[in-house]
Amino acid sequence: MTKAKENIFDFTLFKRLFQYIKPYKIIFFSLVALVILLAILSTATPYITKYAIDNSIAVKAPKSFLFYVLIMFAVLIFQTIFQLAFIYYAAWLGQNLVKDVRVKLFNHLLSFKMKYYDTSSVGVLITRAVTDMERIADIFGQGLFTIFRDLLAMIVVFGVMIYINWRLSLIVFIMLPLLMYATRIFQKYMKVTFEEVRNEVSNLNSYVQERITGMKILQLFTREAIDYKNFTVINERHKKAWLKTVWYNSIFFPLADLVSSISIGLVAWYGGLNIVLKGTDVSQGDLIAFVMFIPMLFRPLRQMADNFNTLQMGMVAATRVFKILDTTSQIDDNGTHVAEHFKGNINFNKVFFNYVEDETVLNGISFDVKQGETVAIVGATGAGKSTIINLLNRFYEIKDGVISIDGMDIKQITLESLRTQIAVVLQDVFLFADTILNNITLNNADITEAQVEAAAKDIGVHDFIASLPGGYHYNVKERGVMLSSGQRQLISFLRAYVTNPSILVLDEATSSVDSHSEQLIQNATDKMTNGRTSIVIAHRLATVKKADKIIVMDAGEIVEEGTHAQLLKKEKGYYKNLYEVQFLKEEVI
């Protein structure tokens, strides 16, 4: 067992969590005050019972007994009110704290490089942002304050018991170290077990999320039986991790009850024998009070172990959340120039890039795109075409070289203004489970529905949207499943066009759409690229032939550059071969 795992309570981690309590410090200190009041009031009932028995019942004085009953009733009323306030505001504090941490985590995730998401499991990240957050809330709602309340209650009970009868107290305290030692061992093993549980929960969430998202692929390739088998293995590990916690609980809690029962038995034996023999060491009130006190002394210790489970789960969850918050995977946004509008002159100068160390993707490429030009990039899969799009928007940092727009290094331009002026239409269109209007504007209040409708008419997609139930307010559901691939592509074109970008980047993909949608996409492409600096990853001959310049890539290098006519004149040229193999067939068709 590592040293980290042997630490029962991570004070450094809690100190960090405490920073989020500062805005709610009035509630926090009010809860501390309630804890103290509840600890004091918890001893009042047995204490009043003792005096009621000794001063009223034993001496047969019914008038004074009513007085004690009224006092006890008042104590119970106050105890109930304070307990209600404690439970509510402890949970309130936990939920507000988690709200702040979750917002900070989400904001942090928004700024990460694409590389982080390339190597991270979506299911794990969802677990951190949702499930783990609730466990952090439990630190305050059911963990820390409850443990503090129980611990303080034990101390108060301990003091009152000694004050009432030190001999009976001695009998109880002989048994206490045994339970305290068992609690210590229990807490140590539970921390390790809960860390294992959180790992298995993350694995389970990740696996389920990926399989549900990719269900079509599983069914297309009849992988249901295999993935069912894999799921049962993961689920079995999850079950075993939880059963470990059940096992430790099943050992500890009966042991705690046994120690408590033995203590009550010893006190009853000694106190009862003393009363029968008419000794002076124990009164009837003492005996009854101690029978009530013993569960109050042992139960908090037992509950602390239970609440410590909650605390441990919360601390493990907090560790995982803070690990993400401590991750530095942001693109350096040190630019000072705010770009309001680009002319559109783009230059790649000896740009080197790799996603993975020692695996070069772009090998010192250089090219120019002049203002208003449409440049088509063609080449085999893996040649580096899409990488150019990613680098122009600074989704990844280049290894060497310079990318500039209008003569300025894009690193000198603020990220927000850079990406605002560059609109991208990707081959893999992502739509949110929302209306078409919100998917186009992305909830940008500066873009009105009238502007969206005008832009849709401008590029020829208004009729298609208007034909849908609800028109622009039609909900496309998760990932746009209510639309065809061609319709999703048209929405993505409109999303880019409505922002009126200075530079347009198109990963033109029409291979899986019908002829009508393809024609609409081609018309939209012509309209959007007209007079605007555009970079197009071309999949269709029509786009290639219309381009002002064609860049031909192979294995991360530019092998040819020129117009369609110029490149066809090169004997045994790469583009000419590509044209004859791919584009010429399309032209014939």
Side-chain angles (χ1 to χ4, degrees):
M1 190 177 297
T2 63
K3 184 176 179 180
K5 289 182 179 180
E6 288 175 353
N7 294 329
I8 299 302
F9 189 82
D10 191 337
F11 286 97
T12 303
L13 182 63
F14 178 72
K15 184 179 179 182
R16 186 169 181 182
L17 274 173
F18 196 81
Q19 299 301 312
Y20 292 91
I21 297 177
K22 287 183 178 179
Y24 314 106
K25 57 185 178 182
I26 293 176
I27 296 295
F28 177 81
F29 288 113
S30 297
L31 283 168
V32 172
L34 282 172
V35 165
I36 295 171
L37 286 171
L38 285 170
I40 294 172
L41 288 174
S42 66
T43 62
T45 301
Y47 194 78
I48 295 169
T49 302
K50 165 191 160 46
Y51 280 95
I53 292 172
D54 288 343
N55 298 338
S56 297
I57 297 176
V59 297
K60 298 179 180 180
K63 291 184 180 179
S64 61
F65 181 72
L66 179 61
F67 171 74
Y68 287 117
V69 169
L70 291 174
I71 292 177
M72 188 176 296
F73 181 75
V75 168
L76 289 174
I77 291 295
F78 280 110
Q79 195 171 10
T80 301
I81 293 172
F82 292 153
Q83 185 74 9
L84 187 150
F86 170 77
I87 293 172
Y88 176 79
Y89 283 106
W92 184 93
L93 179 64
Q95 289 299 325
N96 276 275
L97 180 143
V98 161
K99 176 203 69 176
D100 295 343
V101 177
R102 186 183 281 124
V103 168
K104 185 173 182 178
L105 177 67
F106 187 75
N107 186 54
H108 196 59
L109 288 171
L110 288 174
S111 65
F112 278 170
K113 300 176 185 176
M114 288 300 106
K115 186 176 182 180
Y116 179 86
Y117 296 104
D118 293 341
T119 57
S120 299
S121 165
V122 174
V124 169
L125 292 177
I126 290 173
T127 301
R128 299 292 174 266
V130 181
T131 310
D132 284 343
M133 287 296 178
E134 291 306 316
R135 300 289 78 78
I136 294 174
D138 290 341
I139 290 177
F140 298 94
Q142 303 173 30
L144 185 69
F145 281 116
T146 307
I147 290 173
F148 181 42
R149 180 197 63 189
D150 291 342
L151 182 61
L152 192 59
M154 286 180 62
I155 294 172
V156 174
V157 168
F158 180 87
V160 173
M161 288 173 71
I162 292 176
Y163 174 76
I164 291 175
N165 193 306
W166 68 268
R167 292 180 177 84
L168 292 179
S169 300
L170 186 61
I171 296 173
V172 177
F173 298 151
I174 289 173
M175 302 298 297
L176 195 59
L178 174 63
L179 188 56
M180 293 179 68
Y181 177 74
T183 303
R184 171 77 177 179
I185 298 297
F186 174 73
Q187 291 169 348
K188 183 167 65 173
Y189 281 97
M190 285 303 285
K191 179 175 182 179
V192 179
T193 305
F194 278 131
E195 191 165 340
E196 185 178 343
V197 166
R198 296 315 306 157
N199 279 330
E200 295 305 330
V201 168
S202 294
N203 292 337
L204 190 63
N205 285 347
S206 178
Y207 191 86
V208 171
Q209 187 273 333
E210 287 182 350
R211 268 57 193 178
I212 291 177
T213 302
M215 187 60 69
K216 187 174 182 180
I217 297 298
L218 296 184
Q219 294 183 356
L220 279 172
F221 289 90
T222 62
R223 295 277 299 181
E224 296 96 330
I226 295 173
D227 273 275
Y228 171 77
K229 185 178 180 180
N230 291 339
F231 177 78
T232 57
V233 172
I234 295 173
N235 199 37
E236 180 68 18
R237 291 204 308 264
H238 177 262
K239 180 199 74 175
K240 287 181 178 178
W242 271 110
L243 284 179
K244 281 187 181 179
T245 69
V246 175
W247 170 245
Y248 293 138
N249 283 326
S250 64
I251 293 174
F252 174 77
F253 291 115
L255 178 63
D257 290 338
L258 177 63
V259 173
S260 178
S261 298
I262 291 174
S263 299
I264 291 174
L266 290 174
V267 165
W269 170 77
Y270 177 80
L273 189 63
N274 195 280
I275 293 171
V276 170
L277 296 176
K278 300 188 182 300
T280 57
D281 294 339
V282 181
S283 69
Q284 295 179 30
D286 291 346
L287 183 58
I288 298 299
F290 266 75
V291 170
M292 296 175 69
F293 272 131
I294 290 172
M296 294 177 63
L297 184 66
F298 285 91
R299 192 188 307 119
L301 193 60
R302 182 185 184 280
Q303 288 175 340
M304 275 197 294
D306 197 15
N307 291 324
F308 201 86
N309 294 347
T310 301
L311 181 63
Q312 293 285 35
M313 290 187 72
M315 298 300 272
V316 169
T319 300
R320 297 182 185 282
V321 169
F322 284 135
K323 185 177 180 181
I324 297 178
L325 286 171
D326 291 337
T327 300
T328 53
S329 184
Q330 291 83 3
I331 294 289
D332 293 330
D333 190 8
N334 299 322
T336 56
H337 178 72
V338 178
E340 295 182 0
H341 182 76
F342 290 136
K343 293 179 180 178
N345 295 299
I346 302 171
N347 174 258
F348 274 60
N349 184 23
K350 297 179 181 179
V351 174
F352 290 83
F353 176 76
N354 52 269
Y355 292 103
V356 181
E357 195 68 31
D358 300 326
E359 292 184 16
T360 302
V361 176
L362 296 183
N363 190 18
I365 67 167
S366 298
F367 67 88
D368 290 300
V369 181
K370 295 180 181 179
Q371 179 180 351
E373 273 190 341
T374 296
V375 173
I377 303 177
V378 299
T381 301
K385 305 186 297 297
S386 296
T387 300
I388 289 174
I389 296 175
N390 291 330
L391 297 183
L392 185 62
N393 282 276
R394 291 196 70 198
F395 288 134
Y396 300 86
E397 294 282 25
I398 61 177
K399 185 177 181 181
D400 199 7
V402 177
I403 302 173
S404 59
I405 298 177
D406 296 341
M408 178 176 291
D409 188 337
I410 60 173
K411 292 182 179 179
Q412 299 175 10
I413 305 170
T414 62
L415 271 179
E416 183 178 0
S417 65
L418 173 71
R419 292 174 181 172
T420 299
Q421 292 301 314
I422 302 175
V424 180
V425 179
L426 296 173
Q427 181 176 351
D428 182 20
V429 179
F430 187 93
L431 298 181
F432 296 94
D434 206 335
T435 63
I436 287 179
L437 179 64
N438 287 339
N439 268 289
I440 293 169
T441 65
L442 297 177
N443 297 302
N444 185 345
D446 295 331
I447 303 175
T448 66
E449 185 173 350
Q451 288 175 309
V452 172
E453 190 172 327
K457 291 177 180 177
D458 204 18
I459 63 173
V461 300
H462 171 72
D463 291 341
F464 136 65
I465 297 174
S467 67
L468 297 171
Y472 289 87
H473 297 278
Y474 179 65
N475 194 310
V476 301
K477 305 301 181 182
E478 188 174 2
R479 298 184 69 88
V481 295
M482 302 303 291
L483 302 177
S484 68
S485 57
Q487 290 172 330
R488 290 196 295 270
Q489 194 76 12
L490 288 169
I491 296 300
S492 70
F493 269 76
L494 184 53
R495 180 160 61 191
Y497 184 66
V498 77
T499 61
N500 191 27
S502 303
I503 297 171
L504 183 66
V505 181
L506 302 178
D507 190 350
E508 184 203 31
T510 56
S511 57
S512 60
V513 302
D514 59 84
S515 57
H516 176 66
S517 294
E518 182 177 346
Q519 185 59 50
L520 287 175
I521 290 172
Q522 189 60 56
N523 293 339
T525 301
D526 294 341
K527 179 68 178 179
M528 292 171 68
T529 57
N530 185 32
R532 181 184 279 113
T533 302
S534 306
I535 298 176
V536 182
I537 296 178
H539 298 263
R540 282 290 180 263
L541 177 62
T543 305
V544 176
K545 291 175 69 174
K546 292 178 182 178
D548 298 303
K549 181 166 59 179
I550 301 168
I551 295 174
V552 187
M553 296 191 66
D554 183 41
E557 297 182 349
I558 296 175
V559 293
E560 291 176 353
E561 191 173 336
T563 64
H564 174 68
Q566 291 170 344
L567 293 175
L568 284 182
K569 292 177 182 178
K570 293 186 178 182
E571 290 296 328
K572 297 182 180 180
Y574 190 102
Y575 177 79
K576 185 176 182 179
N577 179 63
L578 183 67
Y579 171 77
E580 291 173 349
V581 172
Q582 177 181 337
F583 295 143
L584 189 58
K585 291 181 181 178
E586 179 187 335
E587 189 173 39
V588 171
I589 294 172

